[in-house]
Amino acid sequence: MSEYVASFDEAQEMVQREASHAGCMKAESRSLLDCAGRVLAEDLVADRDQPPFPRSARDGFAVRFAEAAAGANLTVVGLIRAGEVWSGAPLASGTAIEIMTGAPVPEGADAVVMVEHIEHPTPNQICLIAGRSVREGENIVPRGCEACAGEAVLGAGTVLGAAEIALAAACGRTTLTVFRKPKVAIVATGDELVELDAVPEPHQIRNSNSYALAALVAESGGEAVRLPIAPDRREAVEEAIRQAGECDLLLLSGGVSMGKYDLVEEVLLALGAEFFFTGVKMQPGKPVVFGRFAKSEAATAQYFFGLPGNPVSTQVTFHCFVAPLLRAMQGATVYGPQFAQATLGEDIAGKPGLMRVLPAWLRASRAKPEVKLVPWQGSGDLVSNAHANCYAVLPPDRERFAAGDVITVLLR
Ligand code: AMP
Ligand code: MG
């Protein structure tokens, strides 16, 4: 077969290209809270103006701004609480109405002076404290300024987090139409692997990758289908791939390096796979493969990834390549990976030729957010990886990075 080792950016582009025409899942209706983490399959439309009335943004006094600004003493003629409507006459000249945050501003008022900015010349009068000012419209959120009834406030393809769920709730939605979760088959390959209920012999390794991948799939909105471990035999790997046939995406771990028993690529090829790349110039993760099985005309192609078995490589390559495709398969219009920039907190050495994606800790300090590498023993080091909260992305064309340099990080 023809090998193709892509540069990191090229590999990203290939995944993005496939993602842009990865056939979409069917839509289904789900109750609002079940939609968190999923992708919206309809436009969410505001059922009424937001806010639905001119809303006071402060506890204070509804006034005619020109009078208050001129320093007039205004007589307080009433009080409006949130959830109430002013039933008296529109605000008359020389008067003010006390108002609470979230209450509808009465007709005739064109500003709300916050309570901290007034004083009482007499018990039932207010005036602006000297040195304070008030502008027209201050502390009033006009009706419909956030959205008008009938307007789409979220588009199909939006990933639904807490902010989007809140907006849907504000629009009165108890259910939403979302895209079906893609079924993702997970096959770990390796003679050394045992399942978690077995007592491993000293030379055996617990199959942690299937669990890492299942958790990552769930985080990315998919439904993980963990298949049994496939030993390093052609028939076993082939059987596992066949079992994954009903799934929308296939993830294999292990068996993609240059070893004598790394059989995954050749089995995929024998089963008619087409490869986009058979490696990426990155570390960890170099042996990663990406391709698809062409299906009959009726069915859409099934994509697959062969992820290197070293646990950090498995997870890094998932974040870089699998997560974006998986989100795109759910109809997401914006998909990762999520890169950001951060200031390096230490000097580090680069490695020419390979994009390095190394476990790192981004210190969440507002004043001085800073990223440092987590010391590690290489791509098998699950412990260091679990003590990282991001990956430092070091480009292949630099030998040295100094403390204070701004570098890219891959968020996870
Ligand atoms: P491979 O990619 O098959 O050459 O495996 C590389 C390294 O990753 C070996 O040390 C394996 O034991 C380890 N490894 C492979 N698969 C898994 C897995 N499912 N869980 C944990 N470690 C694994
Ligand atoms: Mg192996």
Side-chain angles (χ1 to χ4, degrees), residues 62 75-92 95-99 103-109:
T75 303
V76 180
V77 297
L79 180 145
I80 315 169
R81 300 154 51 136
E84 282 181 352
V85 187
W86 179 245
S87 55
L91 186 85
T95 68
I97 299 174
E98 191 167 9
I99 190 164
V105 175
E107 240 180 90

Side-chain angles (χ1 to χ4, degrees), residues 189-192 232 254-255 261-262:
T189 71
D191 283 340
E192 73 280 32
D232 293 316
Y261 302 100
D262 290 328

Side-chain angles (χ1 to χ4, degrees), residues 239-314:
E239 173 56 24
I241 294 172
R242 286 195 199 286
Q243 274 187 46
E246 294 304 304
C247 289
D248 303 299
L249 177 65
L250 164 63
L251 302 180
L252 294 132
S253 107
V256 286
S257 307
M258 301 303 283
K260 226 175 188 167
Y261 302 100
D262 290 328
L263 307 165
V264 165
E265 271 175 63
E266 85 179 62
V267 173
L268 286 166
L269 190 66
L271 291 173
E274 170 193 355
F275 291 84
F276 300 114
F277 55 74
T278 56
V280 176
K281 290 175 194 148
M282 65 188 290
Q283 190 225 359
K286 189 157 178 278
V288 59
V289 308
F290 173 41
R292 68 176 177 192
F293 290 110
K295 288 253 176 99
S296 63
E297 275 160 39
T300 47
Q302 185 195 43
Y303 289 98
F304 63 79
F305 287 91
L307 306 175
N310 265 315
V312 185
S313 315
T314 311

Side-chain angles (χ1 to χ4, degrees), residues 99-403:
I99 190 164
M100 302 297 131
T101 302
V105 175
E107 240 180 90
D110 56 10
V112 169
V113 184
M114 57 198 277
V115 68
E116 294 87 340
H117 289 183
I118 62 100
E119 58 191 3
H120 291 277
T122 68
N124 74 338
Q125 284 189 311
I126 60 148
C127 69
L128 203 61
I129 292 175
R132 294 293 184 185
S133 61
V134 53
R135 286 174 291 105
E136 184 170 14
E138 193 165 337
N139 297 322
I140 298 176
V141 187
R143 174 178 176 161
C145 75
E146 296 161 6
C148 292
E151 193 182 312
V153 287
L154 287 180
T158 304
V159 178
L160 299 166
E164 294 78 13
I165 297 286
L167 183 53
C171 294
R173 298 293 299 270
T174 55
T175 62
L176 289 172
T177 310
V178 290
F179 290 108
R180 197 171 65 71
K181 292 185 177 194
K183 276 204 171 85
V184 183
I186 296 170
V187 177
T189 71
D191 283 340
E192 73 280 32
L193 301 179
V194 292
E195 286 302 0
L196 301 195
D197 52 7
V199 178
E201 300 288 334
H203 55 280
Q204 292 181 318
I205 295 291
R206 291 196 177 101
N207 172 20
S208 61
N209 281 350
S210 286
Y211 291 84
L213 290 173
L216 288 166
V217 163
E219 264 176 28
S220 303
E223 185 185 321
V225 180
R226 277 186 304 109
L227 294 174
I229 293 167
D232 293 316
R233 281 185 288 106
R234 271 183 199 81
E235 319 76 68
V237 175
E238 191 176 320
E239 173 56 24
I241 294 172
R242 286 195 199 286
Q243 274 187 46
E246 294 304 304
C247 289
D248 303 299
L249 177 65
L250 164 63
L251 302 180
L252 294 132
S253 107
V256 286
S257 307
M258 301 303 283
K260 226 175 188 167
Y261 302 100
D262 290 328
L263 307 165
V264 165
E265 271 175 63
E266 85 179 62
V267 173
L268 286 166
L269 190 66
L271 291 173
E274 170 193 355
F275 291 84
F276 300 114
F277 55 74
T278 56
V280 176
K281 290 175 194 148
M282 65 188 290
Q283 190 225 359
K286 189 157 178 278
V288 59
V289 308
F290 173 41
R292 68 176 177 192
F293 290 110
K295 288 253 176 99
S296 63
E297 275 160 39
T300 47
Q302 185 195 43
Y303 289 98
F304 63 79
F305 287 91
L307 306 175
N310 265 315
V312 185
S313 315
T314 311
Q315 294 176 47
V316 164
T317 49
F318 185 98
H319 288 291
C320 291
F321 307 116
V322 183
L325 186 75
L326 195 47
R327 276 303 187 193
M329 289 171 71
Q330 295 160 65
T333 43
V334 178
Y335 29 86
Q338 293 224 39
F339 294 111
Q341 290 202 308
T343 307
L344 200 51
E346 61 186 347
D347 295 346
I348 46 182
K351 185 165 187 176
L354 296 177
M355 181 75 84
R356 293 205 303 166
V357 189
L358 305 177
W361 183 260
L362 181 61
R363 192 170 66 150
S365 138
R366 185 201 59 78
K368 202 170 180 232
E370 211 177 57
V371 66
K372 283 187 177 174
L373 298 186
V374 175
W376 73 327
Q377 303 303 318
S379 50
D381 191 347
L382 274 163
V383 179
S384 297
N385 187 55
H387 291 134
N389 64 0
C390 68
Y391 296 96
V393 184
L394 305 176
D397 52 1
R398 264 182 76 179
E399 296 209 6
R400 308 234 136 256
F401 300 84

